[in-house]
Amino acid sequence: MKSSAEGHGEERLSVTPPKTWAAGVPGVTHALSYSLGQTSLRRTALTLLSVNQVTGLDCPGCAWPEPGRRHVNEYCENGAKHVADEATTRRVTAEFFRRHPVSELAGMSDQWLNQQGRLTEPMVKRPGSDHYEPIGWDEALDLLAGELRALDDPDQALFYTSGRLGNEAAFLLQLFARAFGTNNLPDCSNMCHESSGVALIETLGVGKGSVSLEDIYEADLVFVVGQNPGTNHPRMLSALERTKRSGGHVVAVNPLPEAGLLRFKNPQKARGVIGRGSRIADEFLQIRAGGDLALFRALNLLLLQAEDERPGTVLDREFIDAHTTGFAEFAEHARALAWPDVLAATGLTREQIERVHARVLESKKIIVCWAMGLTQHKHGVPTIREIVNFLLLRGNIGRPGAGVCPVRGHSNVQGDRTMGIWERPPRAFLDALEREFGFTPPAEHGLDTVGAIQAMLDGRARVFLGVGGNFVRATPDSAVTERAMRSCRLTAHVSTKLNRSHTVCGETALILPTLGRSDRDVQAGREQFVTVEDSMSQVHASRGRLAPASDTLLSEVAIIARLARLTLGDRPDIPWETFEADYGTIRDRISRVVPGFEDFNARVARPGGFRLPNPVSRRVFPTPGGKAVFTRNAMAALHAPEGHLILQTLRAHDQWNTIPYSGEDRYRGIHNGRRVVLVNPDDLAELGVADRSVVDLVSVWHDGVERRAPSFTVVAYPTARGSAAAYYPETNVLVPLDSVADFSNTPTSKAVVVRLEPAAPA
Ligand SMILES: Nc1nc2c(c(=O)[nH]1)N[C@H]1C(S)=C(S)[C@@H](COP(=O)(O)OP(=O)(O)OC[C@H]3O[C@@H](n4cnc5c(=O)[nH]c(N)nc54)[C@H](O)[C@@H]3O)O[C@H]1N2
Ligand SMILES: Nc1nc2c(c(=O)[nH]1)N[C@H]1C(S)=C(S)[C@@H](COP(=O)(O)OP(=O)(O)OC[C@H]3O[C@@H](n4cnc5c(=O)[nH]c(N)nc54)[C@H](O)[C@@H]3O)O[C@H]1N2
Ligand SMILES: [Mo]
C-alpha cells in the first residue's frame, strides 16, 4: 500500500466500463469482505443485525430515513462498511504514537491513518514536541478549559462539529459555546446543504425537506438532481423502486451516468439478486456542470407558455393566489429567458427538455430531490430557489406525494441544526435558551467554516475544538487551511479514528477519543441511548451494542459536560453532572427549548420515534409575509476559459467523506487508484491530452495563486462535455477558500476551473 499522501501516478490503476446498475449481490459480498478485514465475524454479525432495527443502532451511513415498519433491518452495502469501519478490532495505542512522530503521520495517506484502527486513550502533543504522549482525562480537559479561559474574547474560540453527533451531545455543545459567550459553531453543514437551508428558509420559511418516505412512494414524478444515490444513499433506491412499482416515474439530472440512477438490483430481495433489476430513471438529462438553474428556468417558462395556450389547466392558480407572493414579477422575469442561453448552459437539446416538460404536465404529484451537485455551486441558492418556483407553479408543495427533498448527508446533520448547531441562531432559539438556563446568549452571529479558517489565518481565532469530523481535509484550499490550523495555540479533536486533522495541528494538540455510535454507552450504571433526526424529520433513538473500543473512552456527552464544567465553573443553572449521568435529563431540557420536542422522552420511547411537524407540509409558510415566495433568479452558468474544464470533486464508492476505504470506485469502473480525473473523450481530443496520460490539475482563480494537485491519471469517461470529475479530498487543494456560493458561503466544490498540465516526471 502507498504510504505517502501524494503518490506519483497510479501504477496499478485499472479501468473497466462503467456499470449500468447498482447494488445486488456483489454489493453485499463486497461489504462483508471489507467488514471481515476490519473485525471478526461475530462483531460484524452483531452490529449488522442491529442496524436500523426499531430498538437498534441508527445507521451512520447517511440520513435517508428507515421505512416505517422496521421488522426487517434495512441497511446497505455502504452502511455496512461504515459500521464495520467503526467496529474494527484494530487499535491505536500510546505505543503507536511513540513509534510515529507527528511529522511522519502528516505524510501518511488518509486511508492509512484511518486503517490504524480506533483511538483508545487521550493524547497530547505539547509545544515544540513532535510526538503525541498519553495524558489523563482530567488533565487533558483542564488544559483545554485553561486555554479557553485564557482567551481575551470568547469569539477567539471555534467549536466545529460534524453531523454524526447525536442530538444530546449537539445540544450540550451549543449550550456550552453560548454560555461561554460565542456563536462560533461552524459545522460540516456549511460545506454541505447550507445552500438548501438558505434557499428554503427564504422561499418556504423552513430550511428542511417537506416530504416523507410515503410521499416518495406516492409521487407521480421524482426528480433526482445532482445526487449519486447508488453510492451515497443506497436505500433511497429501494424507495424509488417502490415509486416506480406504483406507476411513478423518475427523471435523473447529472453530468455523469451514475449506475444507481440507471438500474437497481435490490439486494434485499431474491428478485434483485437474479435478473436485470429495476430501471430507475425514465429520463436521464446529462447536464453540464452548473446547468441546473437554466434547466429549471426553461421548465418554468414552458409551464407558463402551456398555461397561455390552455388557460386554467396547467398552473394551480388557486394555490398561487392563496399561498404565494411574487408570482407576477416572477412570471414576467421568467418569460425573458433566451433558449440559446439554456442550451449552452445545460448542453441539452430543446427536445430533451420538452420531453421532461411533457412528463411534468402528465404528473399531478412531483417531488424534487437533490444533494451536492446543486448546493456546492456558486449559484446553488438561486438554483434551489428556482426549483421551489417550479414546484409552486403547480401547487406541488404541502400535499401528499409532492414537495422538496434535499437529501442530507451525515446521519444527524439535520438534527444537529435543529439542536442549535448554527452560527446564525434565530432570535427565538436564543430567547428559549435564556428562559430555560437563565443566561443571556450572545446575539451576534458567529463564524461558519470558511469564516473560521479566515479567522485563524489572521489571528482572530486561537483555539479550535472539533467534535467529530476531519476539518483540514473536509475544508477547501488544503494548503491554506493547514496553515490556518497550524497557527492556532491549541487544536483539540473529539474523535473515534485517527485522521489528518490530528497531524496538522496547533502548538498544543489534543486527541480526545470517544465512543462511536455502535459502542454501548453506560453512565452511572445505566445504559444510555442517543437520538437522531433523519432527512425527513423523523426523530428516533439509537443504541450501541458493542463493547467499547477501550475502557478509557468517554462519550461525547461526557466530554462536553466535563469540559463545560471545568471552563465555566459550577453553576447551579446548568447541571452538567446530571446531564452526563442521565441523557434523559438533557432531553427534558430540549423538550422545553426546541419547538416540536414536547414530551420528548415519552415520544422517543415509542418504536420508530416521532416526526417533527413541518408547517410547510400543511401549507403554512413561516416566512415574514406568511406565504411561499416566488423569486427571480438571474441566469447564471459556468464558463471555463479556452483550454480549461470545470472540475467537480466527488465521492468514490469506497469512501466515507474524507476517508477513502480503498482505491475502488466499482460502479464507475475505476480500480486501484484514486488520483484519476474523468474527462469526456471529445474534450480530451480538443485539449490534445491522451487517455491514461498523467497530468497535474492546476486551478485558475482571480487571486493569481497557482493551486496544483500533482499526478492524476486521465480517464476518458462518458461525462458531460466540459465537466470533469475527480475525487475529494485529494482535490480540495484546488478549491480556493473564497470561491464560495452566493448567500450560503458554501465552498464551490463542484465547480473548480482547471487545466490539465503534463505532469513533471516523478
Ligand atoms: N457511501 C457514502 N455515503 C455517503 C457519503 C460518503 O462519503 N460515502 N457522504 C454523505 C454526505 S456528508 C453527503 S453530503 C452525501 C453526498 O451525496 P452526493 O451529493 O450524491 O455526493 P457526491 O459524491 O458529492 O456526488 C454529487 C453528485 O452530483 C453530480 N453533480 C455534480 N455537479 C453537478 C451539477 O452541476 N448538476 C447536476 N445535476 N449534478 C451534478 C455528480 O456527478 C454526482 O453524481 O452522501 C452521504 N452519504
Ligand atoms: N472538495 C470537496 N470537499 C467537501 C465535499 C465535497 O463534495 N467536495 N463535501 C463536503 C461535505 S458534504 C461534508 S458533510 C464534509 C464532511 O466533513 P467532516 O464531517 O468534517 O468529515 P468526515 O470525513 O465525515 O469525518 C470523519 C472523521 O469523523 C470522526 N468520527 C466518525 N464517527 C464519529 C463519531 O461517532 N463521533 C466523533 N466524535 N467522531 C467521529 C472520525 O475520527 C473520522 O476520521 O466535507 C465537505 N468537503
Ligand atoms: Mo455532507
CSV table of all heavy atoms in Angstrom, one decimal, residues 681-727:
chain,number,residue,atom,x,y,z
A,681,PRO,N,-14.2,12.2,-23.7
A,681,PRO,CA,-13.2,11.9,-24.7
A,681,PRO,C,-13.1,13.0,-25.8
A,681,PRO,O,-12.0,13.3,-26.3
A,681,PRO,CB,-13.8,10.6,-25.4
A,681,PRO,CG,-14.9,10.1,-24.6
A,681,PRO,CD,-15.2,11.1,-23.5
A,682,ASP,N,-14.2,13.7,-26.1
A,682,ASP,CA,-14.2,14.8,-27.0
A,682,ASP,C,-13.4,16.0,-26.5
A,682,ASP,O,-12.6,16.7,-27.2
A,682,ASP,CB,-15.6,15.3,-27.5
A,682,ASP,CG,-16.3,14.2,-28.2
A,682,ASP,OD1,-15.6,13.3,-28.8
A,682,ASP,OD2,-17.6,14.3,-28.3
A,683,ASP,N,-13.5,16.2,-25.2
A,683,ASP,CA,-12.7,17.3,-24.5
A,683,ASP,C,-11.2,16.9,-24.6
A,683,ASP,O,-10.4,17.8,-24.9
A,683,ASP,CB,-13.1,17.5,-23.1
A,683,ASP,CG,-14.5,18.1,-22.9
A,683,ASP,OD1,-14.8,19.0,-23.8
A,683,ASP,OD2,-15.2,17.8,-21.9
A,684,LEU,N,-10.9,15.6,-24.4
A,684,LEU,CA,-9.5,15.2,-24.4
A,684,LEU,C,-9.0,15.4,-25.8
A,684,LEU,O,-7.8,15.9,-26.0
A,684,LEU,CB,-9.4,13.7,-24.1
A,684,LEU,CG,-9.6,13.4,-22.6
A,684,LEU,CD1,-9.4,11.9,-22.4
A,684,LEU,CD2,-8.7,14.2,-21.7
A,685,ALA,N,-9.8,15.1,-26.8
A,685,ALA,CA,-9.3,15.3,-28.2
A,685,ALA,C,-9.0,16.8,-28.5
A,685,ALA,O,-8.0,17.1,-29.0
A,685,ALA,CB,-10.3,14.7,-29.2
A,686,GLU,N,-9.9,17.6,-28.0
A,686,GLU,CA,-9.8,19.0,-28.2
A,686,GLU,C,-8.6,19.6,-27.5
A,686,GLU,O,-7.9,20.5,-28.0
A,686,GLU,CB,-11.1,19.7,-27.7
A,686,GLU,CG,-11.5,20.9,-28.5
A,686,GLU,CD,-12.8,21.5,-28.1
A,686,GLU,OE1,-13.8,21.0,-28.6
A,686,GLU,OE2,-12.8,22.3,-27.2
A,687,LEU,N,-8.4,19.1,-26.3
A,687,LEU,CA,-7.2,19.6,-25.5
A,687,LEU,C,-5.9,18.9,-25.9
A,687,LEU,O,-4.8,19.4,-25.5
A,687,LEU,CB,-7.5,19.3,-24.0
A,687,LEU,CG,-8.6,20.0,-23.3
A,687,LEU,CD1,-8.9,19.4,-21.9
A,687,LEU,CD2,-8.4,21.5,-23.2
A,688,GLY,N,-6.0,17.9,-26.7
A,688,GLY,CA,-4.8,17.2,-27.1
A,688,GLY,C,-4.1,16.4,-26.0
A,688,GLY,O,-2.9,16.3,-25.8
A,689,VAL,N,-5.0,15.9,-25.1
A,689,VAL,CA,-4.5,15.1,-23.9
A,689,VAL,C,-4.9,13.7,-24.1
A,689,VAL,O,-6.0,13.4,-24.5
A,689,VAL,CB,-5.1,15.7,-22.6
A,689,VAL,CG1,-4.7,14.8,-21.4
A,689,VAL,CG2,-4.6,17.1,-22.3
A,690,ALA,N,-3.9,12.8,-23.9
A,690,ALA,CA,-4.2,11.4,-24.2
A,690,ALA,C,-4.8,10.7,-23.0
A,690,ALA,O,-4.5,11.0,-21.9
A,690,ALA,CB,-2.9,10.6,-24.6
A,691,ASP,N,-5.7,9.8,-23.3
A,691,ASP,CA,-6.3,8.9,-22.3
A,691,ASP,C,-5.1,8.2,-21.6
A,691,ASP,O,-4.2,7.8,-22.2
A,691,ASP,CB,-7.2,7.9,-23.0
A,691,ASP,CG,-8.0,7.0,-22.0
A,691,ASP,OD1,-8.1,7.4,-20.8
A,691,ASP,OD2,-8.5,6.0,-22.4
A,692,ARG,N,-5.3,8.1,-20.2
A,692,ARG,CA,-4.3,7.4,-19.4
A,692,ARG,C,-2.9,8.2,-19.3
A,692,ARG,O,-2.0,7.6,-18.7
A,692,ARG,CB,-3.9,6.0,-19.8
A,692,ARG,CG,-5.1,5.0,-19.9
A,692,ARG,CD,-5.9,5.0,-18.6
A,692,ARG,NE,-7.3,4.6,-19.0
A,692,ARG,CZ,-7.7,3.4,-19.2
A,692,ARG,NH1,-6.8,2.4,-19.1
A,692,ARG,NH2,-8.9,3.2,-19.6
A,693,SER,N,-2.9,9.4,-19.8
A,693,SER,CA,-1.6,10.1,-19.5
A,693,SER,C,-1.7,10.7,-18.1
A,693,SER,O,-2.8,10.7,-17.5
A,693,SER,CB,-1.5,11.2,-20.6
A,693,SER,OG,-2.6,12.1,-20.5
A,694,VAL,N,-0.6,11.1,-17.6
A,694,VAL,CA,-0.5,11.6,-16.2
A,694,VAL,C,-0.4,13.1,-16.3
A,694,VAL,O,0.5,13.6,-17.0
A,694,VAL,CB,0.6,10.9,-15.4
A,694,VAL,CG1,0.7,11.5,-14.0
A,694,VAL,CG2,0.5,9.4,-15.4
A,695,VAL,N,-1.3,13.8,-15.6
A,695,VAL,CA,-1.3,15.2,-15.6
A,695,VAL,C,-1.3,15.8,-14.2
A,695,VAL,O,-1.6,15.1,-13.3
A,695,VAL,CB,-2.5,15.8,-16.4
A,695,VAL,CG1,-2.5,15.3,-17.8
A,695,VAL,CG2,-3.8,15.3,-15.7
A,696,ASP,N,-0.9,17.1,-14.1
A,696,ASP,CA,-1.2,17.8,-12.9
A,696,ASP,C,-2.5,18.6,-13.1
A,696,ASP,O,-2.7,19.1,-14.2
A,696,ASP,CB,-0.1,18.9,-12.6
A,696,ASP,CG,1.2,18.2,-12.2
A,696,ASP,OD1,1.2,16.9,-12.0
A,696,ASP,OD2,2.2,18.9,-12.0
A,697,LEU,N,-3.3,18.7,-12.1
A,697,LEU,CA,-4.5,19.5,-12.2
A,697,LEU,C,-4.2,20.9,-11.6
A,697,LEU,O,-3.7,21.0,-10.5
A,697,LEU,CB,-5.7,18.9,-11.4
A,697,LEU,CG,-6.1,17.5,-11.8
A,697,LEU,CD1,-7.2,17.0,-10.8
A,697,LEU,CD2,-6.5,17.4,-13.2
A,698,VAL,N,-4.4,21.9,-12.4
A,698,VAL,CA,-4.0,23.3,-11.9
A,698,VAL,C,-5.2,24.1,-12.0
A,698,VAL,O,-5.9,24.3,-13.0
A,698,VAL,CB,-2.9,23.9,-12.9
A,698,VAL,CG1,-2.5,25.3,-12.4
A,698,VAL,CG2,-1.7,23.0,-13.0
A,699,SER,N,-5.6,24.7,-10.8
A,699,SER,CA,-6.8,25.5,-10.8
A,699,SER,C,-6.5,27.0,-11.0
A,699,SER,O,-5.4,27.5,-10.7
A,699,SER,CB,-7.7,25.3,-9.6
A,699,SER,OG,-7.1,26.0,-8.5
A,700,VAL,N,-7.5,27.6,-11.6
A,700,VAL,CA,-7.3,29.0,-12.0
A,700,VAL,C,-8.2,29.9,-11.2
A,700,VAL,O,-9.4,29.6,-11.2
A,700,VAL,CB,-7.6,29.2,-13.5
A,700,VAL,CG1,-7.4,30.6,-14.0
A,700,VAL,CG2,-6.8,28.2,-14.3
A,701,TRP,N,-7.7,30.9,-10.6
A,701,TRP,CA,-8.6,31.8,-9.8
A,701,TRP,C,-8.1,33.2,-9.9
A,701,TRP,O,-6.9,33.4,-10.1
A,701,TRP,CB,-8.6,31.3,-8.3
A,701,TRP,CG,-9.6,31.9,-7.4
A,701,TRP,CD1,-9.3,32.6,-6.3
A,701,TRP,CD2,-11.0,31.9,-7.5
A,701,TRP,NE1,-10.4,33.0,-5.7
A,701,TRP,CE2,-11.5,32.7,-6.4
A,701,TRP,CE3,-11.9,31.4,-8.5
A,701,TRP,CZ2,-12.9,32.9,-6.2
A,701,TRP,CZ3,-13.3,31.7,-8.3
A,701,TRP,CH2,-13.8,32.4,-7.2
A,702,HIS,N,-9.0,34.2,-9.6
A,702,HIS,CA,-8.6,35.6,-9.8
A,702,HIS,C,-7.5,36.1,-8.9
A,702,HIS,O,-7.0,37.1,-9.1
A,702,HIS,CB,-9.8,36.5,-9.8
A,702,HIS,CG,-10.6,36.4,-8.5
A,702,HIS,ND1,-10.0,36.8,-7.3
A,702,HIS,CD2,-11.9,36.1,-8.2
A,702,HIS,CE1,-10.9,36.6,-6.3
A,702,HIS,NE2,-12.0,36.2,-6.9
A,703,ASP,N,-7.2,35.3,-7.8
A,703,ASP,CA,-6.1,35.8,-7.0
A,703,ASP,C,-4.7,35.5,-7.6
A,703,ASP,O,-3.7,35.9,-7.0
A,703,ASP,CB,-6.2,35.2,-5.6
A,703,ASP,CG,-6.2,33.7,-5.6
A,703,ASP,OD1,-5.9,33.1,-6.6
A,703,ASP,OD2,-6.4,33.1,-4.5
A,704,GLY,N,-4.7,34.8,-8.7
A,704,GLY,CA,-3.5,34.6,-9.4
A,704,GLY,C,-2.6,33.5,-8.7
A,704,GLY,O,-1.5,33.1,-9.2
A,705,VAL,N,-3.1,32.9,-7.6
A,705,VAL,CA,-2.3,31.9,-6.9
A,705,VAL,C,-2.4,30.6,-7.7
A,705,VAL,O,-3.5,30.2,-8.1
A,705,VAL,CB,-2.8,31.7,-5.5
A,705,VAL,CG1,-2.1,30.5,-4.8
A,705,VAL,CG2,-2.7,33.0,-4.7
A,706,GLU,N,-1.3,29.9,-7.9
A,706,GLU,CA,-1.4,28.6,-8.6
A,706,GLU,C,-1.7,27.5,-7.6
A,706,GLU,O,-0.9,27.2,-6.7
A,706,GLU,CB,-0.1,28.3,-9.3
A,706,GLU,CG,-0.2,27.1,-10.2
A,706,GLU,CD,1.1,26.7,-10.8
A,706,GLU,OE1,1.5,27.2,-11.9
A,706,GLU,OE2,1.8,25.9,-10.1
A,707,ARG,N,-2.8,26.8,-7.8
A,707,ARG,CA,-3.1,25.7,-6.9
A,707,ARG,C,-3.0,24.4,-7.8
A,707,ARG,O,-3.6,24.3,-8.8
A,707,ARG,CB,-4.5,25.8,-6.4
A,707,ARG,CG,-4.7,27.0,-5.4
A,707,ARG,CD,-6.1,27.2,-5.0
A,707,ARG,NE,-6.2,28.3,-4.0
A,707,ARG,CZ,-6.2,29.6,-4.3
A,707,ARG,NH1,-6.2,30.0,-5.5
A,707,ARG,NH2,-6.3,30.5,-3.3
A,708,ARG,N,-2.2,23.5,-7.3
A,708,ARG,CA,-1.8,22.3,-8.1
A,708,ARG,C,-2.0,21.0,-7.4
A,708,ARG,O,-1.6,20.9,-6.2
A,708,ARG,CB,-0.3,22.5,-8.5
A,708,ARG,CG,0.2,21.4,-9.4
A,708,ARG,CD,1.7,21.7,-9.8
A,708,ARG,NE,1.8,22.8,-10.6
A,708,ARG,CZ,1.9,22.8,-11.9
A,708,ARG,NH1,1.9,21.7,-12.6
A,708,ARG,NH2,2.1,23.9,-12.6
A,709,ALA,N,-2.7,20.1,-8.0
A,709,ALA,CA,-2.8,18.7,-7.5
A,709,ALA,C,-2.0,17.8,-8.4
A,709,ALA,O,-2.5,17.6,-9.6
A,709,ALA,CB,-4.3,18.3,-7.4
A,710,PRO,N,-0.9,17.4,-8.0
A,710,PRO,CA,0.0,16.7,-9.0
A,710,PRO,C,-0.4,15.2,-9.3
A,710,PRO,O,-1.1,14.6,-8.5
A,710,PRO,CB,1.4,16.7,-8.2
A,710,PRO,CG,1.0,16.8,-6.8
A,710,PRO,CD,-0.3,17.5,-6.7
A,711,SER,N,0.0,14.8,-10.5
A,711,SER,CA,0.0,13.4,-10.8
A,711,SER,C,-1.4,12.7,-10.8
A,711,SER,O,-1.7,11.9,-9.9
A,711,SER,CB,0.9,12.5,-9.9
A,711,SER,OG,2.2,13.0,-10.1
A,712,PHE,N,-2.3,13.1,-11.7
A,712,PHE,CA,-3.5,12.4,-11.9
A,712,PHE,C,-3.6,11.7,-13.2
A,712,PHE,O,-3.1,12.3,-14.2
A,712,PHE,CB,-4.7,13.4,-11.8
A,712,PHE,CG,-5.1,13.8,-10.4
A,712,PHE,CD1,-4.2,14.5,-9.6
A,712,PHE,CD2,-6.3,13.4,-9.9
A,712,PHE,CE1,-4.6,14.8,-8.3
A,712,PHE,CE2,-6.7,13.7,-8.6
A,712,PHE,CZ,-5.8,14.4,-7.8
A,713,THR,N,-4.1,10.5,-13.2
A,713,THR,CA,-4.2,9.7,-14.5
A,713,THR,C,-5.5,10.1,-15.1
A,713,THR,O,-6.6,10.1,-14.5
A,713,THR,CB,-4.1,8.2,-14.2
A,713,THR,OG1,-2.9,7.9,-13.5
A,713,THR,CG2,-4.2,7.4,-15.5
A,714,VAL,N,-5.4,10.5,-16.4
A,714,VAL,CA,-6.6,10.9,-17.2
A,714,VAL,C,-7.4,9.6,-17.6
A,714,VAL,O,-6.8,8.7,-18.1
A,714,VAL,CB,-6.2,11.7,-18.4
A,714,VAL,CG1,-7.4,12.0,-19.3
A,714,VAL,CG2,-5.4,13.0,-18.0
A,715,VAL,N,-8.7,9.6,-17.4
A,715,VAL,CA,-9.5,8.5,-17.8
A,715,VAL,C,-10.6,9.1,-18.7
A,715,VAL,O,-11.4,9.9,-18.3
A,715,VAL,CB,-10.1,7.8,-16.6
A,715,VAL,CG1,-11.1,6.7,-17.1
A,715,VAL,CG2,-9.0,7.1,-15.8
A,716,ALA,N,-10.6,8.6,-20.0
A,716,ALA,CA,-11.7,9.1,-20.9
A,716,ALA,C,-13.0,8.5,-20.3
A,716,ALA,O,-13.1,7.3,-20.1
A,716,ALA,CB,-11.4,8.5,-22.3
A,717,TYR,N,-14.0,9.3,-20.1
A,717,TYR,CA,-15.2,8.8,-19.4
A,717,TYR,C,-16.4,9.5,-20.0
A,717,TYR,O,-16.4,10.7,-20.4
A,717,TYR,CB,-15.0,9.2,-17.9
A,717,TYR,CG,-16.0,8.5,-17.0
A,717,TYR,CD1,-15.6,7.2,-16.5
A,717,TYR,CD2,-17.2,9.0,-16.6
A,717,TYR,CE1,-16.5,6.5,-15.7
A,717,TYR,CE2,-18.1,8.3,-15.8
A,717,TYR,CZ,-17.7,7.1,-15.3
A,717,TYR,OH,-18.6,6.4,-14.5
A,718,PRO,N,-17.6,8.9,-20.0
A,718,PRO,CA,-18.8,9.5,-20.6
A,718,PRO,C,-19.4,10.5,-19.7
A,718,PRO,O,-20.6,10.4,-19.3
A,718,PRO,CB,-19.7,8.3,-20.8
A,718,PRO,CG,-19.3,7.3,-19.8
A,718,PRO,CD,-17.8,7.4,-19.6
A,719,THR,N,-18.7,11.5,-19.3
A,719,THR,CA,-19.2,12.6,-18.5
A,719,THR,C,-19.6,13.7,-19.5
A,719,THR,O,-19.2,13.7,-20.7
A,719,THR,CB,-18.2,13.2,-17.5
A,719,THR,OG1,-18.7,14.3,-16.8
A,719,THR,CG2,-16.9,13.6,-18.2
A,720,ALA,N,-20.5,14.7,-19.1
A,720,ALA,CA,-20.9,15.7,-20.0
A,720,ALA,C,-19.7,16.5,-20.4
A,720,ALA,O,-18.7,16.7,-19.8
A,720,ALA,CB,-21.9,16.6,-19.2
A,721,ARG,N,-19.9,17.1,-21.6
A,721,ARG,CA,-18.8,18.0,-22.2
A,721,ARG,C,-18.4,19.1,-21.3
A,721,ARG,O,-19.3,19.7,-20.7
A,721,ARG,CB,-19.3,18.6,-23.5
A,721,ARG,CG,-19.2,17.7,-24.8
A,721,ARG,CD,-17.8,17.2,-25.1
A,721,ARG,NE,-16.7,18.2,-25.4
A,721,ARG,CZ,-16.5,18.7,-26.5
A,721,ARG,NH1,-17.2,18.4,-27.6
A,721,ARG,NH2,-15.5,19.5,-26.7
A,722,GLY,N,-17.1,19.3,-21.1
A,722,GLY,CA,-16.6,20.4,-20.3
A,722,GLY,C,-16.6,20.2,-18.8
A,722,GLY,O,-16.2,21.0,-18.1
A,723,SER,N,-17.2,19.0,-18.4
A,723,SER,CA,-17.4,18.8,-17.0
A,723,SER,C,-16.6,17.6,-16.6
A,723,SER,O,-16.9,16.4,-16.8
A,723,SER,CB,-18.9,18.5,-16.7
A,723,SER,OG,-19.7,19.4,-17.3
A,724,ALA,N,-15.4,17.8,-15.9
A,724,ALA,CA,-14.6,16.8,-15.5
A,724,ALA,C,-14.9,16.4,-14.0
A,724,ALA,O,-15.6,17.2,-13.3
A,724,ALA,CB,-13.1,17.2,-15.6
A,725,ALA,N,-14.4,15.3,-13.6
A,725,ALA,CA,-14.6,14.9,-12.2
A,725,ALA,C,-13.4,14.2,-11.6
A,725,ALA,O,-12.7,13.5,-12.3
A,725,ALA,CB,-15.8,13.9,-12.2
A,726,ALA,N,-13.1,14.5,-10.3
A,726,ALA,CA,-12.1,13.8,-9.6
A,726,ALA,C,-12.5,13.7,-8.1
A,726,ALA,O,-13.4,14.4,-7.7
A,726,ALA,CB,-10.8,14.6,-9.7
A,727,TYR,N,-11.8,12.8,-7.4
A,727,TYR,CA,-12.2,12.6,-6.0
A,727,TYR,C,-11.8,13.6,-5.0
A,727,TYR,O,-10.8,14.2,-5.1
A,727,TYR,CB,-11.7,11.2,-5.6
A,727,TYR,CG,-12.1,10.1,-6.5
A,727,TYR,CD1,-11.2,9.2,-7.0
A,727,TYR,CD2,-13.5,9.9,-6.8
A,727,TYR,CE1,-11.6,8.2,-7.9
A,727,TYR,CE2,-13.9,8.9,-7.7
A,727,TYR,CZ,-12.9,8.0,-8.2
A,727,TYR,OH,-13.3,7.1,-9.1
